[in-house]
Amino acid sequence: MHQKRQAASKMLPIRRKGTKYVAKALHNPKYSVPVVIAVRDMLHLARNASEVRKMIVQKALKINGRIVKDYRDAISLLNLFEADKTYVLTLLPTKKFVLKETKDKERVCKVIGKRLLGKNTIQLNLHDGTNFLVKDSSIKVNDSVLLQDNKFKSHLPLAKGKEVFIFKGKYAGNVGKILEINDVAEIKLKDSSVQLNKINIIAI
């Protein structure tokens, strides 16, 4: 699946002039990066899509520990991507995606939905499209969870005093601290405080 270059997400750090079409991520294309763009255009580990495909055949690429099978596989925000090293996909204040080298084996996921499957089992729907089963009923929508090796490690509540990453809107790419939280969250930034919708921030 491809898309016209001019229609691609403005968050992708690609040139606006070039080939007519670029790869489109298989999942949530507005807030994710296809593997081929990550490897070729961001990390410069390949010169073209053919070389990326060879790396996939060699099982040299992983997303959150899962072997990449398609050069359009989606790397979502805060996912871990393994190539020559391990990287985390994040967002700059310029609202452009960037892959930063990391030693962390943990990843943060925002809870965007939940439902009770049984007496003690809750399914969490996470921002990167994955689902996860837990028994902790205190986890709420808009909270975050910390995963390691795709296993639940800890709960990060969206609460007063917590640090958050802003991933949507005017202040996307910035980190702040929650001063107050009710229907909206008041966030302390470096030089100011702003009120933001809770769906636009991730507890980290």
Side-chain angles (χ1 to χ4, degrees), residues 5-102:
R5 182 177 291 266
Q6 294 301 318
S9 170
K10 297 297 188 291
M11 294 180 178
L12 291 177
I14 58 174
R15 291 178 295 176
R16 290 295 135 183
K17 291 185 179 180
T19 55
K20 184 175 181 180
Y21 295 98
V22 293
K24 183 178 181 179
L26 294 177
H27 169 75
N28 196 17
K30 185 175 181 181
Y31 291 103
S32 61
V33 175
V35 165
V36 64
I37 289 178
V39 175
R40 182 190 62 203
D41 303 292
M42 297 173 70
L43 297 177
H44 307 291
L45 297 176
R47 291 171 295 180
N48 50 51
S50 179
E51 290 186 358
V52 176
R53 288 190 182 98
K54 288 180 182 179
M55 295 172 75
I56 291 172
V57 171
Q58 295 166 355
K59 300 182 179 180
L61 307 175
K62 295 181 181 180
I63 300 173
N64 301 327
R66 173 184 60 82
I67 294 173
V68 171
K69 295 183 179 180
D70 192 307
Y71 78 116
R72 299 163 299 169
D73 273 356
I75 308 169
S76 295
L77 184 67
L78 301 183
N79 278 184
L80 297 177
F81 180 59
E82 296 176 54
D84 58 328
K85 301 172 183 176
T86 300
Y87 303 87
V88 60
L89 182 68
T90 187
L91 197 61
L92 297 172
T94 57
K95 300 178 180 61
K96 295 290 185 182
F97 280 124
V98 64
L99 284 163
K100 292 186 177 181
E101 186 179 344
T102 181

